[in-house]
Amino acid sequence: MGLHPLEFSECYLDSPSFRERIKAHEAELDKTSRFIKELYKDGKNLINATKQLGMAQRKFAQSLGEFQFEYIGDAKTDDEKCIDESLQEFSSFLKNLEDQRELMMRNITETLLKPLEKFRKEQLGTAKEERKRYEKETEKYYSSLEKLLTLSARKKDQQLQEADVQVEGMRQHFQEESLEYVCKLQEIQERKKFECVEPMLAFFQTVFTFYHQGYELAKDFDHYKRALQINIQNTRSRFEATRSEVEELMRKIKECPQDHRQISPISIEGYLYVQEKRPPPFGSSWVKRYCTYVKEQKLLNMVTFDHRSGGKTSETESVTLKSCLWKNTDVSDRRFCLDIEITDRPGLVLTVQALSEDDRKSWMQAMGGKEPVHHFGRTYSKERGIDAQLNEVGSCFVKNCISAIETRGINDQGLYRVVGVSSKVQRLLSMMIDEKTCNEMDLSASDDWDIKTITSALKLYLRSLPEPLMTYELYKEFIVPAKCGSPDSRVQAIHYLVHKLPEKNRVLLGLLMKHLANVAAHSKQNLMTVANLGVVFGPTLMRPQEETVAAIMELKFQNIVVEILIEQHETIFGDPPGAPVSAAEPTLAAPTRQSKSRQSRHNRPLAVYNPQVVDIQAASSTVTVTDAGATDEASLGSTESMSSQSSGNNASTSGSPLEETQKHLSSNGGSTVDGMGGRTSKVSWMNSGPAPALSETAATSITAQSEKQGESVTNRKAKAVYPCEAEHDSELSFQVGAIFDDVIYSREPGWLEGVLEGKRGLIPENYVEML
């Protein structure tokens, strides 16, 4: 049962039960006061704890925002860019959440704690003061009443009357005080119902608002979250495909490391122990050095490096080789030694020790020693077993396969992912590319061959071609737009490059892309989205000539190129591109210089590929790969041939800027500029046999890096064809049409140095044309 009401009439009687009811009301107010005090204390603790949580989350958000992923290679895919930026997005989300939390904490103080504390001090505090007065008046009245009652009747009437008047006045004052106190008690009892609960309601409204805002933030974040999940899944899929290729390359190198040496101007490189003679009586010491030898220049570079000293390196020492002789063990007690005679130091013989007998022979061969040399170069396997050619028979086979797949198996789950039995796949392909038996079978009408065998045979045919469908020559050019640029510029660049392919390659590629677009249109049934098809056909249609880890890291960009070909096949394989100046040629991204700034330059516009700009960018390593779904097809036994023949037309107009550039470069080292803007020169191959043919891009890149150092274009001028905003103090900002004086090549690949309005700085090479 609740508190009894305090009747005003009871104030005149002041009965014991009335006093008990007053005490009950007072006890309730005391309990309310203690409750508010405890609540206030807990609220403060909650605010402090939330502040600590907020500080911890802000520190966590700061750590997220400051961290950036490093990546392998010279560019990132769109998926990788999104993943790289995800930590900043998470950081921003947490900061927004903490801003809302801080606002909530301030509202808690204003809407809950302050009103409760105000009620406790003003209302409950007033009640306590009233209680003290009431008790004081009670004590005063009853004391006076007792004195009056004990007053002798023998007193004078005037004294008795005065005493009666005084006590009556005190009684009236006491009763008035009692009435006010009772009224105050009941008022506070009623007031506390809303004075205490209303701040609670405001508090919970603040909490609800906070969580609602969190919900709204989560809703806004949901779209990004879903997109990020797709980016992560795509990156994971590419990682799985890349990992299998890396492991396969590692296995091959373990079995035959000498066959996987990267192509470079350096004839041989490795560790040698160099004998350093000292004045008597100190004798000599052997110092471990990392040496590189360039056969064309007969230049031996040596860098002292010891792993045990923390990997410290000294300055590079270079000597010019005159001759190299084997040092007999009768003369020296050390094995594997060579005597090197130095041209620029007559009479000085440098004694070096190789790491093994085979290593000594390799150095002897590279340096032109007299011993029979061990062949140290790449071998190109011809163990294919299937003589696939890009001819009429091959095109008919592809059309036959496509017809059968679209007729009988377009909805099969895992189409092109699920592989067939290797023996059946090889038998089908052998029959279908044989001129005698190729016309005997209609795969769309025959149930003798299942769909997975047909799809595997189609992929095996494409991988068994002497040269990939998208050619070695254009491989690097296809990769460039996939690495950077807007979606429109990528489509534009690939559109242009596709129409640079040979006619038969382009026609077959267009037929295949139209088919793959049809496959992707049925992805709800066959689960083969455009991204999945890109993973499968990227390495199948695009193969670099050299197997390296760097080239394997470009698998993701191969996938992107194929995805664009599938999604935009109607545009790309429809009308040919317009004139190069109208942005129909491939776009090249402004170079990124990690040494200057770690900020990527994605905001820069893309420069159109200009034939008059000398393209002397260093070569990136490349690799031959298979599609991710072909891991199980390794048993098919097809080893792709790495040799290809390519030729370029070097036509130019007499008197043109291009011809002038050719003449200038010819006078500076014998290198020339071909009709596509690539610089070519004579390439010295280490192996004595015939050198494998290279595409223009590959041949250019082999010598570009070594030749470019120190090369200048004295007193040459250049004109800006695209605007550029400087992102570093060393760079120049300019608009279209700006003329640069005294242009020379920078030490950084992809950059020039020039003077504009009296200031000298760096210029992106692909933003200008030489005059």
Side-chain angles (χ1 to χ4, degrees):
M1 185 175 178
L3 296 173
H4 290 280
L6 300 175
E7 297 293 344
F8 291 128
S9 59
E10 294 285 340
C11 295
Y12 294 91
L13 296 177
D14 198 21
S15 63
S17 60
F18 174 70
R19 285 287 180 165
E20 290 296 328
R21 287 194 290 273
I22 286 180
K23 287 183 179 179
H25 280 264
E26 292 172 346
E28 175 61 23
L29 293 184
D30 290 341
K31 186 174 70 172
T32 302
S33 179
R34 289 194 300 271
F35 163 72
I36 292 177
K37 281 185 178 180
E38 192 69 21
L39 194 64
Y40 188 83
K41 178 182 176 183
D42 293 340
K44 285 292 186 182
N45 291 337
L46 173 63
I47 291 174
N48 292 333
T50 306
K51 284 182 179 178
Q52 294 296 323
L53 173 63
M55 291 173 60
Q57 287 197 346
R58 286 192 180 276
K59 182 64 175 66
F60 181 70
Q62 181 182 356
S63 299
L64 285 177
E66 291 175 351
F67 183 80
Q68 285 187 333
F69 290 106
E70 294 295 340
Y71 57 94
I72 300 174
D74 57 356
K76 293 182 284 189
T77 64
D78 290 343
D79 294 325
E80 289 172 332
K81 291 174 187 175
C82 184
I83 290 175
D84 191 25
E85 296 166 357
S86 62
L87 297 185
Q88 282 72 35
E89 290 291 336
F90 296 154
S91 174
S92 176
F93 178 80
L94 281 179
K95 287 178 181 178
N96 289 338
L97 202 61
E98 284 311 306
D99 290 341
Q100 300 298 331
R101 193 191 302 276
E102 284 186 4
L103 181 61
M104 181 186 74
M105 290 300 103
R106 288 197 297 269
N107 287 343
I108 287 176
T109 302
E110 295 296 327
T111 61
L112 177 64
L113 299 185
K114 286 186 177 180
L116 287 179
E117 186 67 8
K118 181 180 179 182
F119 175 76
R120 188 183 70 82
K121 289 181 177 180
E122 293 184 359
Q123 300 298 327
L124 299 183
T126 302
K128 284 187 178 181
E129 295 297 328
E130 293 285 344
R131 179 180 177 180
K132 291 179 181 178
R133 258 196 321 271
Y134 175 68
E135 291 176 348
K136 184 178 180 181
E137 291 297 329
T138 299
E139 179 64 26
K140 188 177 179 182
Y141 167 66
Y142 282 109
S143 297
S144 300
L145 183 60
E146 287 179 3
K147 289 181 180 179
L148 177 65
L149 296 178
T150 57
L151 190 64
S152 173
R154 294 187 182 88
K155 294 285 185 179
K156 293 182 180 180
D157 291 341
Q158 184 178 359
Q159 290 180 338
L160 294 175
Q161 288 176 1
E162 289 176 357
D164 291 341
V165 171
Q166 183 179 7
V167 171
E168 181 63 23
M170 294 181 67
R171 182 183 64 79
Q172 290 180 359
H173 186 67
F174 163 70
Q175 290 174 347
E176 289 175 1
E177 189 67 34
S178 178
L179 288 170
E180 290 179 2
Y181 181 55
V182 166
C183 181
K184 189 67 175 177
L185 283 179
Q186 298 190 116
E187 175 190 336
I188 293 176
Q189 294 291 2
E190 294 299 315
R191 182 187 289 272
K192 74 176 182 181
K193 296 177 183 177
F194 56 87
E195 291 282 4
C196 291
V197 176
E198 191 174 37
M200 297 287 184
L201 178 60
F203 161 71
F204 279 99
Q205 183 61 37
T206 301
V207 173
F208 296 152
T209 302
F210 167 72
Y211 284 111
H212 178 72
Q213 289 172 333
Y215 170 74
E216 292 295 330
L217 284 175
K219 278 208 311 185
D220 294 340
F221 193 73
D222 188 64
H223 177 73
Y224 176 79
K225 181 188 70 174
R226 293 178 184 276
L228 181 60
Q229 287 173 339
I230 295 173
N231 296 137
I232 292 172
Q233 183 59 39
N234 291 341
T235 304
R236 186 188 300 276
S237 300
R238 289 169 183 153
F239 162 75
E240 295 295 340
T242 302
R243 182 176 62 176
S244 63
E245 295 296 334
V246 170
E247 291 175 350
E248 177 64 17
L249 176 60
M250 182 177 63
R251 183 189 64 79
K252 290 180 181 178
I253 292 180
K254 281 182 180 179
E255 294 174 354
C256 194
Q258 67 273 14
D259 289 345
H260 290 79
R261 185 178 182 274
Q262 296 186 39
I263 299 173
S264 73
I266 298 173
S267 302
I268 190 171
E269 57 185 318
Y271 284 102
L272 292 174
Y273 284 83
V274 182
Q275 185 180 30
E276 294 186 353
K277 296 180 181 180
R278 298 179 180 179
F282 298 106
S284 62
S285 62
W286 293 82
V287 180
K288 181 182 178 183
R289 293 189 173 184
Y290 191 80
C291 303
T292 59
Y293 179 69
V294 182
K295 188 174 183 180
E296 285 185 344
Q297 304 172 3
K298 292 188 176 182
L299 191 65
L300 180 67
N301 300 312
M302 299 179 290
V303 178
T304 303
F305 180 82
D306 191 350
H307 300 86
R308 293 171 295 183
S309 64
K312 294 182 179 179
T313 58
S314 64
E315 293 185 0
T316 302
E317 180 182 355
S318 300
V319 296
T320 304
L321 181 74
K322 181 178 181 181
S323 64
C324 173
L325 298 174
W326 170 61
K327 191 176 183 68
N328 198 321
T329 52
D330 295 339
V331 181
S332 173
D333 60 347
R334 288 207 172 203
R335 300 184 299 162
F336 322 137
C337 290
L338 304 171
D339 281 340
I340 299 175
E341 189 175 354
I342 309 302
T343 300
D344 44 4
R345 298 180 190 178
L348 177 63
V349 176
L350 191 65
T351 302
V352 299
Q353 182 184 26
L355 304 183
S356 65
E357 182 62 21
D358 289 340
D359 191 37
R360 182 189 67 79
K361 290 179 180 179
S362 297
W363 282 97
M364 285 283 290
Q365 176 195 9
M367 294 181 178
K370 297 179 181 179
E371 270 190 349
V373 298
H374 173 69
H375 181 74
F376 190 82
R378 285 209 59 166
T379 59
Y380 294 88
S381 176
K382 193 68 178 178
E383 299 176 2
R384 182 172 273 126
I386 295 176
D387 186 18
Q389 298 295 330
L390 188 57
N391 52 21
E392 187 64 30
V393 174
S395 297
C396 290
F397 166 65
V398 172
K399 293 176 182 177
N400 203 343
C401 289
I402 290 175
S403 177
I405 294 167
E406 294 189 351
T407 302
R408 299 195 285 125
I410 193 70
N411 292 324
D412 287 7
Q413 287 192 4
L415 190 64
Y416 285 110
R417 280 281 197 183
V418 180
V419 298
V421 178
S422 61
S423 58
K424 292 180 65 178
V425 171
Q426 284 188 321
R427 187 166 71 253
L428 173 61
L429 182 56
S430 299
M431 292 172 57
M432 296 301 294
I433 63 175
D434 188 343
E435 294 183 358
K436 299 178 181 179
T437 59
C438 63
N439 296 322
E440 297 178 359
M441 190 182 309
D442 182 3
L443 295 177
S444 61
S446 173
D447 294 333
D448 296 337
W449 304 94
D450 55 18
I451 293 299
K452 64 183 179 182
T453 301
I454 297 174
T455 56
S456 297
L458 175 58
K459 291 186 292 183
L460 179 58
Y461 165 75
L462 294 172
R463 288 196 305 273
S464 301
L465 293 172
E467 186 176 23
L469 200 58
M470 297 173 72
T471 72
Y472 292 129
E473 180 182 0
L474 295 177
Y475 173 81
K476 295 303 295 182
E477 295 186 54
F478 272 111
I479 290 295
V480 168
K483 288 184 176 180
C484 48
S486 64
D488 290 342
S489 65
R490 291 176 178 176
V491 175
Q492 190 180 62
I494 292 174
H495 186 194
Y496 172 78
L497 291 171
V498 163
H499 285 268
K500 287 179 66 177
L501 289 170
E503 178 72 18
K504 56 183 179 180
N505 294 58
R506 185 175 70 254
V507 171
L508 188 59
L509 183 63
L511 179 67
L512 184 61
M513 291 303 108
K514 182 178 179 181
H515 162 63
L516 294 181
N518 190 21
V519 172
H522 292 78
S523 59
K524 289 185 178 180
Q525 291 79 30
N526 57 38
L527 306 182
M528 293 302 292
T529 62
V530 172
N532 290 337
L533 292 171
V535 171
V536 172
F537 280 92
T540 302
L541 300 175
M542 301 178 64
R543 295 197 308 274
Q545 288 182 292
E546 186 181 7
E547 286 186 281
T548 63
V549 173
I552 291 176
M553 292 303 161
E554 291 181 340
L555 275 174
K556 54 195 175 185
F557 299 112
Q558 298 173 19
N559 302 345
I560 291 173
V561 172
V562 174
E563 289 175 22
I564 294 172
L565 288 173
I566 296 172
E567 291 177 335
Q568 305 292 334
H569 71 281
E570 293 181 354
T571 301
I572 292 174
F573 295 96
D575 297 331
V581 181
S582 63
E585 292 195 354
T587 56
L588 298 179
T592 301
R593 297 178 304 135
Q594 296 293 341
S595 60
K596 296 284 184 187
S597 171
R598 296 183 60 189
Q599 299 274 341
S600 58
R601 302 167 187 260
H602 301 311
N603 294 328
R604 280 192 169 176
L606 297 175
V608 172
Y609 188 86
N610 194 319
Q612 295 183 8
V613 179
V614 182
D615 184 5
I616 56 171
Q617 293 182 352
S620 297
S621 301
T622 54
V623 63
T624 299
V625 293
T626 59
D627 63 84
T631 305
D632 298 333
E633 292 181 355
S635 60
L636 295 179
S638 63
T639 305
E640 277 70 23
S641 172
M642 301 301 293
S643 63
S644 66
Q645 300 295 328
S646 62
S647 60
N649 297 325
N650 298 331
S652 61
T653 305
S654 177
S656 65
L658 175 60
E659 183 179 5
E660 293 299 320
T661 306
Q662 289 176 329
K663 289 179 181 179
H664 176 76
L665 291 178
S666 298
S667 65
N668 288 336
S671 51
T672 61
V673 180
D674 61 23
M676 295 308 299
R679 170 140 51 84
T680 59
S681 65
K682 294 181 180 180
V683 182
S684 175
W685 297 88
M686 293 177 300
N687 48 330
S688 57
L694 295 175
S695 64
E696 293 172 0
T697 305
T700 299
S701 60
I702 291 175
T703 56
Q705 188 172 8
S706 62
E707 291 179 350
K708 188 171 179 179
Q709 298 297 329
E711 186 179 358
S712 65
V713 198
T714 309
N715 297 325
R716 293 300 302 276
K717 292 188 177 183
K719 179 181 178 181
V721 293
Y722 289 94
C724 178
E725 184 72 23
E727 297 182 4
H728 193 271
D729 293 341
S730 61
E731 301 174 22
L732 294 176
S733 296
F734 51 86
Q735 299 297 324
V736 176
I739 303 298
F740 303 94
D741 298 318
D742 194 16
V743 178
I744 64 172
Y745 290 106
S746 172
R747 293 183 178 179
E748 292 193 64
W751 292 82
L752 303 172
E753 291 183 18
V755 177
L756 178 64
E757 298 178 355
K759 180 181 178 181
R760 188 169 194 84
L762 292 172
I763 312 160
E765 184 178 350
N766 53 334
Y767 275 58
V768 301
E769 62 180 8
M770 303 301 296
L771 299 179

